Every structure is written in C-alpha cells, then in structure tokens.
Amino acid sequence: MKRMLVRDFIYDRLYHPVEGYFVKNIQLGALKKPIEFKQLLGYEDYTKKLAENYPENQWLTPSEVFRPYYGITLGNYINQQFRFTRKEKLRIVEIGAGYGAACEGVLYYMRNHQPQTFSNMEYHLVDISPEACQQAEKRLSQDFKQQIKKGTLKIFNQDFLSYKQNSQKNEMWFFVFLEVFDNLAHDKVIDGKQVYVENMKEFTETITDQLIQETYIMYQQFKQQQKNEDQNIEDRFLFNTLRKLISKYYGNQKSNSIFLPTGALQVLKHIKSNFQNPSLVIADFDLLKNNFTQESINAPIVSKKLAKPHERIDYESYLVERGAADIFFPTDFNFVQYMVKQILGMDSQIFKAYQFADQFSQSSWTTTKSGYNPLKEDFGNTSFLVTDHS
C-alpha cells in the first residue's frame, strides 16, 4: 500500500470510486413508510415500531426516522432565515443527501405552506454515492417530478469539493450538512507531528502539509481561547467538578494525540471561494459512545452495521481494509463554530437537537399518546450549528 496521509487513507476507505464503503456497500437505510407517531402509545411503543421496521444491515438517519417532519422542521427554519434576508432567490444545497428524505420534507413544506418561496427556489442534492443518487431521484420523482424536469431540483453525483455553481448577489445559498461532518476526512497529529499510513501502520514526521498545519494552528488558538474563557468562570467549584467528571470519561485520551477535522476546513474554504451569501446548517453527533476508549482526542468509531437494529461490528482502529467499515467522528461543534468564524467571518449558534425542534417544529407532529416526543427526546447526542443573519 502506498504512503498516505491519514485523511487520504480515510477518504480511500470510505469513498474509493469502486471499493469505498459508501460506494460499493452503502448501509444507508429507508423506512418503507413513515411512522405514524400519533398512533403510538409512548417510548416503548416507539422503540418497538422502529425495531420492527428497521432495515437489515443498514443505518437510519434522523431525517429518515422522522420523515417527513425532520425535513419540514428544516424547511421552516430555512424559510424564516430567507425571508429575514430579503433576498430574491433561495438556493439550497444538501451535501450527502442520501435517499432524499430531508429534501422531500423541505420541498413538501415549501410547496404547501410557503408557495412564494417555493416558486423562487432551487434544491441541489450532492452525493458521492451513485446508489444514493438513484434512490433519491426515484423517491423525489413521486411528488416533485415537475421540479426535476424544470431543473429546479437537481441531483449531482459528485464530491462536494468539485461542486461549483454561479452565485448571484440576489440569491441566498443554504448549505445543509446532515450527518456529514462526522464522515469528513480527518488528519492525525501526535506530539506536533503529522501522521501518515504505510502498509497499514502509522508513522510520524514533521508537519509539511499546509492543510494540517493550518488546522493545527487554528485548533491551538481555539484551545487557548477556551482556556482564557475558563479562567473567567466565577463558579470555580462547579467548573472543577465538571472537569473531574469529564476527565473520568476521557481519562485514556492523550492530549498529545488528536484527530483534526481537516476535511471540515476544506469544505468551509470551498464555500468561501465559490459562493456568495452562504449560510450553513450543520447537524451531527456531538458525542459518540465507545470513542472514550480511544487514546486520541476526537477519535472515530469504526463500525459495520449488522442485521438487527443495534447490532454492529466495532473495530479498534481506523486502519481497516478499503470498504470494510464506516469511519465516523464526533463533531466538536465549538471548534467548528470557531472555524466558521475564522474562514467565513460569520457568527453562528449551536443548538442541541431538541432545542432546534422546540423552535422550528410543532409538538403535535411527533408526540405520542403518552406525551413522549421522539423528535425531541431521541438522538440526544446530536446538535445543530446554524449561521446568524442578524
């Protein structure tokens, strides 16, 4: 195996055009029909219904589980921001759109509740998986065939870094990343040295890669800013208690070894270079079970889905054969927020998923008979980052 930086190795494992995990063996699933939440008794009934309908050997994303309400919630948020900016045209670009569940909900909301926005918008789905693109087109053709024919709904089977469009000042561009940042390539740094992989083993060398250098410096600046902010905390007892609690779980992680989100920096720089008036919606996992056992900060989970809903094979290292498993990282939303400010010059807000749902969804959509609302109470380890327009 040729020598590769860690980000190139991970990209090759996941996105190789023939043997990559997301190309040859996509494990993204779809429900045969949406769940009727109002008919469920409560939590146990919800988990039972989900287990009964969970596809074998596949994952379900929140946008699929809560279809169409997840997309409707997203559509409500985007429309509010679009109207606030008073731009003439709306352009939504969903990266890693999968089978189009979120897109379907957004378009449904716009068509039925915001017809003026709907008549002045385009929706682009960008996904590197040929199968995902085919399935998305099949699904969306059922209700939005006319938009596909008109060219206001387009599907691009390509890497986002090669996606470019002409943007105009009167347009608002929304870039939507739903469970995408966790799969963006990362680089590894140990003791201030970049890591490369050769013959399935790690080696270190002086940092020469510009992207690693830029991300690493930005991360150090971010950590220093956090340290300065921590020193200003008035309740030292509470702060020290929380720090001890965190160190209990992260005790095995070595501060001299870290996975850096260099792929996220590439994405932000691509947006900066190619689009006017960008806005971001990033939703992802802020915490992942089992990554506590890894020695590196921000270490990934490396896993392959099995037949039953909660069955999977976990690997101890990201050094796996091409296409063997998914490699996904927890998203440090505070650091992403810092990068957004540094690269795009934009302020942003971070919401837990339930907070986002509180503001932009209606409880009646997904509340069960007992009052349990899975849209707000399931997937507790997910957050949203959205850019400000105030």
Side-chain angles (χ1 to χ4, degrees), residues 62-288:
S63 61
E64 185 67 44
V65 172
F66 304 119
R67 171 182 170 223
Y69 303 111
Y70 192 95
I72 293 174
T73 302
L74 181 62
N76 183 29
Y77 166 76
I78 290 176
N79 182 68
Q80 288 187 30
Q81 301 306 307
F82 174 61
R83 294 176 64 181
F84 181 81
T85 61
R86 298 184 178 180
K87 296 291 182 182
E88 295 178 16
K89 297 180 180 179
L90 173 63
R91 303 288 182 260
I92 302 174
V93 183
E94 185 183 350
I95 297 89
Y99 295 165
C103 173
E104 181 185 44
V106 171
L107 293 178
Y108 172 87
Y109 171 78
M110 297 295 189
R111 183 185 63 189
N112 292 283
H113 300 281
Q114 304 295 337
Q116 185 174 355
T117 301
F118 187 69
S119 64
N120 290 289
M121 68 175 286
E122 284 189 16
Y123 202 118
H124 295 180
L125 294 85
V126 182
D127 202 297
I128 201 168
S129 166
E131 180 186 341
C133 291
Q134 292 169 8
Q135 293 297 327
E137 184 172 7
K138 181 180 179 181
R139 168 181 279 176
L140 295 170
S141 293
Q142 296 178 20
D143 291 322
F144 302 101
K145 194 170 186 177
Q146 191 63 33
Q147 281 64 45
I148 294 175
K149 287 183 177 180
K150 288 169 56 180
T152 56
L153 174 57
K154 298 179 182 179
I155 300 174
F156 297 82
N157 180 204
Q158 62 187 89
D159 188 306
F160 176 63
L161 296 181
S162 64
Y163 169 85
K164 296 181 181 180
Q165 299 286 312
N166 293 323
S167 61
Q168 307 297 324
K169 289 184 178 180
N170 66 337
E171 298 173 338
M172 183 179 189
W173 286 77
F174 254 100
F175 295 92
V176 178
F177 300 86
L178 306 178
E179 290 77 52
V180 171
F181 268 51
D182 62 332
N183 280 127
L184 292 179
H186 286 58
D187 274 289
K188 191 174 183 180
V189 170
I190 300 177
D191 291 325
K193 296 182 178 181
Q194 67 187 30
V195 176
Y196 67 92
V197 178
E198 189 170 16
N199 296 323
M200 302 295 279
K201 294 181 180 180
E202 289 185 344
F203 299 90
T204 61
E205 62 184 359
T206 301
I207 295 178
T208 57
D209 181 80
Q210 184 176 350
L211 186 62
I212 295 176
Q213 183 74 24
E214 186 175 355
T215 311
Y216 189 48
I217 290 174
M218 197 174 293
Y219 181 76
Q220 290 175 313
Q221 293 170 341
F222 162 71
K223 295 303 291 183
Q224 183 60 49
Q225 178 178 292
Q226 277 196 325
K227 184 177 180 181
N228 294 339
E229 291 173 353
D230 289 346
Q231 290 174 349
N232 294 327
I233 294 177
E234 294 182 4
D235 193 337
R236 302 305 302 175
F237 176 77
L238 177 60
F239 174 72
N240 289 330
T241 301
L242 289 172
R243 185 166 59 183
K244 288 179 182 178
L245 183 62
I246 292 171
S247 65
K248 177 181 178 180
Y249 289 101
Y250 286 91
N252 292 328
Q253 295 187 335
K254 299 177 180 178
S255 60
N256 67 330
S257 178
I258 181 172
F259 284 90
L260 293 169
T262 44
L265 185 60
Q266 284 180 303
V267 163
L268 295 176
K269 295 180 80 169
H270 178 69
I271 292 172
K272 172 70 174 178
S273 298
N274 294 284
F275 299 94
Q276 301 183 61
N277 305 316
S279 299
L280 301 179
V281 178
I282 300 169
D284 225 310
F285 298 99
D286 52 37
L287 183 69
L288 291 173

Side-chain angles (χ1 to χ4, degrees), residues 313-357:
I313 297 174
D314 287 332
Y315 296 79
E316 295 183 356
S317 169
Y318 70 94
L319 298 172
V320 295
E321 295 298 327
R322 181 185 290 159
D326 193 1
I327 303 171
F328 52 106
F329 295 80
T331 298
D332 185 340
F333 276 86
N334 290 314
F335 184 41
V336 172
Q337 184 178 50
Y338 183 83
M339 287 195 292
V340 168
K341 180 66 173 179
Q342 298 301 310
I343 302 302
L344 298 177
M346 303 179 72
D347 293 325
S348 58
Q349 298 182 64
I350 298 172
F351 298 89
K352 290 295 292 184
Y354 76 87
Q355 295 173 319
F356 190 83

